[in-house]
Amino acid sequence: MEERYYTAADYHDHFNPNAYLNTYYSDPDGHPDDAGILPFIMEQLHKLFYKEGVSGDRLIDIGSGPCVYSFVSACNNFKEIIASDYIEVNRKATRQWLNKEPGCFNWKPIIERVCSLEGHSNIEEREKKMRETIKDVIHCDVHQSNPIAGSPYKDPFDCVLTLCCLESVSTTKESYIQALKNVTSLLKSGGTFFQFVQPFRSYTVGDKKFAGVLFDQKFLEDAPLQASLTDMKFAIKRNTSDRGSTLEFEFGMTIVAKKI
């Protein structure tokens, strides 16, 4: 029987956040098929927030999934962080960690890795700071002109993050560009945009394989120009692994830019 590939339309019914977290985030080095992508992302976030000192009052992460690792470096630099995701099971997983509920995912190894980049081992203190700074976990939909419509947050943000999101839910270049425009509309003029994008053929969560689209590097580098962004900086991590059955991709890229 031909193998079924799930799509973005199936996330509500078929995405398992626990399987996803255990597969890709149990080890701070990431999954072997990920070819060092997770440490690369953490290093780029560390550079942005710790070394370059990007800061402000309010930060939002669009499409956080069930994850909080993007906030480990950022939490010291912002008064308020908002996590968001499209599906409730992911939002629930984040709330479980925030509330220290039994069975919540253990982010300590990831937090420890980031703390080591900063030259210390204050893991408990950093966890406490993250929980204090992450003020809300809300619904988002990047295909809506206002991705957080219905939330109480009306003013633009100082910083917008989006990691492994737009390429997971956009099936064409046109829909990707529109989603990018929608997300950057949440950013104030002069604010900082950080994106990690990893075009993929497929990735596996539990016993289900989700299909993606292999957008090319030039398209991804040109796309921010259509979303009122400027001063772009790119960092590329190519897949040099011979593995690839769990996650099939060619490269991952961070994009840092400013809103015009």
Side-chain angles (χ1 to χ4, degrees):
M1 186 172 67
E2 186 176 350
E3 184 176 23
R4 175 179 176 180
Y5 282 81
Y6 293 81
T7 68
D10 298 309
Y11 277 106
H12 265 299
D13 295 327
H14 295 285
F15 189 82
N16 183 330
N18 292 325
Y20 175 72
L21 291 170
N22 289 326
T23 299
Y24 295 104
Y25 297 98
S26 291
D27 188 327
D29 287 325
H31 190 279
D33 287 1
D34 215 3
I37 285 291
L38 181 57
F40 171 75
I41 297 172
M42 290 190 287
E43 288 163 6
Q44 294 301 312
L45 289 166
H46 167 74
K47 177 183 177 183
L48 183 72
F49 295 118
Y50 186 81
K51 291 185 176 180
E52 298 178 2
V54 168
S55 61
D57 290 330
R58 300 163 65 242
L59 174 151
I60 188 167
D61 183 16
I62 297 296
S64 308
C67 301
V68 299
Y69 73 96
S70 59
F71 309 132
V72 185
S73 295
C75 67
N76 282 333
N77 296 31
F78 292 86
K79 297 176 182 177
E80 180 179 284
I81 288 176
I82 308 299
S84 71
D85 200 69
Y86 182 63
I87 59 175
E88 172 58 26
V89 289
N90 283 343
R91 301 194 297 271
K92 180 180 178 182
T94 300
R95 294 190 194 103
Q96 287 174 332
W97 181 84
L98 289 172
N99 297 328
K100 301 182 182 180
E101 295 180 18
C104 70
F105 188 71
N106 177 23
W107 286 102
K108 277 186 170 65
I110 301 288
I111 296 170
E112 182 179 16
R113 176 65 62 87
V114 176
C115 288
S116 71
L117 292 174
E118 298 176 3
H120 65 85
S121 57
N122 302 325
I123 303 166
E124 288 76 18
E125 182 180 317
R126 182 58 55 88
E127 278 191 309
K128 181 174 182 290
K129 181 66 174 178
M130 290 170 67
R131 288 188 168 103
E132 290 173 348
T133 310
I134 301 169
K135 302 296 187 183
D136 207 350
V137 185
I138 64 173
H139 175 266
C140 72
D141 183 348
V142 300
H143 295 306
Q144 299 299 313
S145 58
N146 177 0
I148 57 170
S151 80
Y153 306 103
K154 310 303 180 185
D155 295 330
F157 290 81
D158 299 287
C159 185
V160 171
L161 310 180
T162 184
L163 289 75
C164 303
C165 176
L166 305 189
E167 69 275 24
S168 298
V169 298
S170 301
T171 57
T172 66
K173 290 183 175 181
E174 292 75 18
S175 63
Y176 176 93
I177 292 291
Q178 188 57 58
L180 182 62
K181 290 178 178 179
N182 296 340
V183 169
T184 57
S185 72
L186 302 173
L187 189 60
K188 66 171 55 174
S189 178
T192 300
F193 176 73
F194 178 95
Q195 180 183 14
F196 175 74
V197 56
Q198 184 180 21
F200 61 93
R201 292 185 184 87
S202 68
Y203 73 103
T204 302
V205 179
D207 60 354
K208 296 181 173 58
K209 185 165 284 193
F210 289 84
V213 179
L214 286 175
F215 297 121
D216 62 88
Q217 181 179 334
K218 186 178 187 307
F219 165 73
L220 295 171
E221 290 177 344
D222 290 343
L225 295 171
Q226 300 186 53
S228 300
L229 295 172
T230 188
D231 298 334
M232 279 81 73
K233 298 176 183 177
F234 307 102
I236 308 287
K237 176 71 173 176
R238 301 200 179 278
N239 185 3
T240 57
S241 172
D242 293 331
R243 298 171 57 96
S245 59
T246 301
L247 175 62
E248 299 177 278
F249 75 105
E250 295 177 357
F251 67 93
M253 176 168 63
T254 58
I255 302 169
V256 180
K258 294 289 186 181
K259 179 75 175 288
I260 295 174

